[in-house]
């Protein structure tokens, strides 16, 4: 067990810069109007902070605090993911299950950091763990429960999204939250998505 935990911590530490770079790449294409005001930072055309006469360009930023949270989050969680994937693989080869679970944890940690820092959730990021889960489900023969989980997760979050639109005339939840609900449903399946949504919101 300690070998898995040590290796997982190393993998988390090495993957954090890649996840942070991916976050910066995603945020470079976001219009100023699509991000929360607290996420906006004034930077120069090259991405460096303004130091005088350069024309300002406003982009959403992950911020040092969220970068640190992402880094230490994956260092803390990836050891458990590696251990769980390698020892509880069910129908999958342990190495495949461990790699898939590590990728899912990394991408979901990235999603959490982006959402916390900028109130944005990227569908192209969520597609990675959902696709990995479906492939694993096809290999393990339990793909139907994953599809049902995705439908239920998306439907529940979609209902909350529509209620917010009708009740408040604006987004109580964003469309990214609906996509997140569907992706989480595909990852954990049915009925696990119900526990995930309840505990996640709490």
């Amino acid at each position: 067990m300690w070998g898995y935990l040590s290796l997982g911590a190393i993998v988390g530490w090495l993957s954090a810069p890649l996840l942070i770079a991916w976050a910066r790449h995603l945020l470079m294409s976001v219009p100023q109007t699509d991000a929360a005001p607290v996420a906006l930072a004034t930077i120069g055309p090259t991405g460096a902070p303004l130091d005088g006469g350069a024309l300002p360009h406003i982009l959403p930023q992950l911020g040092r605090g969220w970068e640190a949270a992402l880094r230490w989050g994956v260092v803390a969680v990836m050891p458990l993911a590696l251990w769980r994937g390698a020892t509880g693989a069910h129908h999958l080869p342990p190495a495949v299950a461990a790699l898939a679970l590590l990728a899912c944890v990394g991408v979901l940690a990235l999603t959490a950091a982006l959402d916390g820092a900028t109130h944005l959730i990227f569908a192209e990021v969520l597609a990675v763990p959902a696709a990995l889960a479906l492939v694993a489900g096809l290999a393990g023969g339990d793909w139907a429960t994953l599809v049902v989980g995705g439908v239920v997760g998306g439907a529940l979050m979609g209902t909350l999204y529509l209620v917010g639109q009708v009740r408040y005339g604006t987004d109580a939840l964003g469309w990214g939250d609906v996509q997140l609900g569907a992706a989480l449903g595909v990852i954990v399946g049915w009925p696990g998505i119900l526990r995930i949504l309840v505990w996640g919101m709490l």
Side-chain angles (χ1 to χ4, degrees):
M1 176 181 177
W2 292 109
Y4 288 126
L5 295 180
S6 300
L7 180 59
I10 293 170
V11 170
W13 182 260
L14 295 177
S15 64
L18 300 176
L19 293 171
I20 291 169
W22 191 7
R24 290 175 179 162
H25 172 73
L26 290 167
L27 292 174
M28 289 297 289
S29 63
V30 175
Q32 175 183 347
T33 55
D34 287 351
V38 296
L40 299 176
T42 305
I43 63 171
T46 62
L50 287 177
D51 56 358
L55 294 175
H57 183 49
I58 308 297
L59 288 173
Q61 299 290 295
L62 194 57
R64 289 183 181 175
W66 283 105
E67 286 186 6
L70 176 57
R71 180 183 306 278
W72 292 109
V74 293
V75 168
V77 177
M78 279 194 173
L80 299 175
L82 180 62
W83 172 68
R84 177 69 176 126
T87 59
H90 300 298
H91 304 292
L92 295 174
V96 173
L99 289 174
L101 195 52
L102 285 174
C104 287
V105 165
V107 170
L108 290 175
L110 172 62
T111 300
L114 285 168
D115 189 24
T118 66
H119 299 184
L120 295 170
I121 296 177
F122 294 85
E124 58 267 41
V125 174
L126 296 175
V128 175
L132 287 171
L134 279 178
V135 170
L138 287 171
D142 56 352
W143 61 271
T145 62
L146 301 181
V147 172
V148 171
V151 170
V152 171
L156 287 174
M157 297 301 279
T159 300
L160 293 175
Y161 171 79
L162 292 174
V163 168
Q165 290 285 343
V166 171
R167 175 67 178 87
Y168 302 108
T170 186
D171 293 346
L173 291 177
W175 189 246
D177 294 296
V178 179
Q179 296 169 330
L180 178 60
L184 288 174
V186 170
I187 294 168
V188 301
W190 172 263
I193 183 59
L194 298 178
R195 293 191 299 272
I196 291 293
L197 290 178
V198 170
W199 283 108
M201 289 180 183
L202 288 176

